[in-house]
Amino acid sequence: ETGVTQTPRHLVMGMTNKKSLKCEQHLGHNAMYWYKQSAKKPLELMFVYSLEERVENNSVPSRFSPECPNSSHLFLHLHTLQPEDSALYLCASSHGMNTEAFFGQGTRLTVV
Amino acid sequence: AQSVTQLDSHVSVSEGTPVLLRCNYSSSYSPSLFWYVQHPNKGLQLLLKYTSAATLVKGINGFEAEFKKSETSFHLTKPSAHMSDAAEYFCVVRTLQDSNTGKLIFGQGTTLQVKP
């Protein structure tokens, strides 16, 4: 409904698993973002891509690995996560870096 | 350093009464300011934005916010609350300094409860 679609909506994974989150935007935007939303904490910016190049990496552990193959798609590859990584992961996109961001519905990740 | 403070973690109003969600920001540069709403199990939806044009900004669903530079505030208001307004609200700032990275700084959020 917002033009930014995230899959899966829910994911449960063990600490030794490897999984990927997918984000797709149908708005013709050229910037995409990953945010982490944990309980009782403000949203944290994780990664920013502009024109398919990473422009911001906000001190995120290497167990999170982003990939932006084109301006419409963004992935977040996950491996050997920790229980404290359980959170809602939100993808967003924008037209340029100085306009409002449009968010997907998020992926609720639980690490067991 | 730039930051956003939402002064109330929880606000409760009765349906049909006014809503006031308070936000103060700290920024060394001219900021862009936004309010987003998040309903349960949903992503964030933009309510309104201020980007150095008119200081009184009108948004969707009857919400509006006023940018007051002297008070470094950007409070969100609505004249009459509706049950469907119950959600989490986020005040967000982007500074001129961060305009090249697209970085948004989020407040802690305010939960709005609307009682019948």
Side-chain angles (χ1 to χ4, degrees):
Chain A
E1 54 188 27
T2 65
V4 181
T5 304
Q6 291 186 242
T7 54
R9 293 291 309 278
H10 301 272
L11 177 63
V12 179
M13 60 185 288
M15 289 189 283
T16 59
N17 290 161
K18 289 184 180 182
K19 296 287 184 183
S20 295
L21 309 184
K22 179 182 176 182
C23 177
E24 183 174 2
Q25 59 95 1
H26 312 279
L27 300 169
H29 291 165
N30 54 16
M32 297 188 77
Y33 313 78
W34 280 117
Y35 282 86
K36 177 182 179 182
Q37 186 177 27
S38 304
K40 308 299 184 186
K41 293 176 68 175
L43 270 78
E44 304 169 61
L45 179 65
M46 300 176 72
F47 301 104
V48 181
Y49 277 82
S50 175
L51 298 173
E52 301 147 45
E53 287 192 20
R54 192 188 308 181
V55 297
E56 180 83 357
N57 178 357
N58 226 28
S59 302
V60 179
S62 58
R63 56 186 183 270
F64 294 92
S65 175
E67 179 190 1
C68 187
N70 55 62
S71 59
S72 298
H73 294 85
L74 184 66
F75 295 90
L76 187 62
H77 304 300
L78 317 170
H79 65 97
T80 58
L81 294 191
Q82 304 299 310
E84 60 264 29
D85 296 322
S86 298
L88 181 67
Y89 288 84
L90 291 162
C91 174
S93 69
S94 66
H95 186 71
M97 307 298 284
N98 198 27
T99 61
E100 65 270 29
F102 291 79
F103 285 80
Q105 294 190 312
T107 294
R108 173 69 63 186
L109 174 67
T110 304
V111 181
V112 297
Chain B
Q2 43 276 3
S3 67
V4 180
T5 302
Q6 292 183 241
L7 299 167
D8 307 292
S9 60
H10 189 99
V11 170
S12 182
V13 302
S14 296
E15 189 176 20
T17 64
V19 175
L20 171 63
L21 305 183
R22 298 182 295 166
C23 173
N24 285 98
Y25 68 92
S26 169
S27 172
S28 302
Y29 302 92
S30 300
S32 294
L33 293 158
F34 310 85
W35 275 98
Y36 281 85
V37 62
Q38 185 177 32
H39 289 90
N41 300 314
K42 299 284 189 181
L44 279 76
Q45 180 184 19
L46 180 69
L47 277 178
L48 48 81
K49 63 178 179 179
Y50 166 78
T51 54
S52 74
T55 57
L56 182 62
V57 181
K58 294 188 183 298
I60 62 171
N61 300 335
F63 285 95
E64 62 181 39
E66 185 171 7
F67 173 70
K68 292 187 177 180
K69 186 175 181 179
S70 61
E71 299 176 10
T72 61
S73 69
F74 191 57
H75 301 334
L76 181 70
T77 60
K78 183 173 180 177
S80 176
H82 191 273
M83 294 297 292
S84 61
D85 294 328
E88 186 89 8
Y89 291 79
F90 294 94
C91 183
V92 182
V93 65
R94 175 189 286 139
T95 68
L96 185 63
Q97 189 178 33
D98 288 323
S99 61
N100 291 331
T101 63
K103 183 176 181 179
L104 297 173
I105 299 169
F106 283 77
Q108 294 267 16
T110 298
T111 301
L112 176 64
Q113 180 187 24
V114 182
K115 296 178 289 186

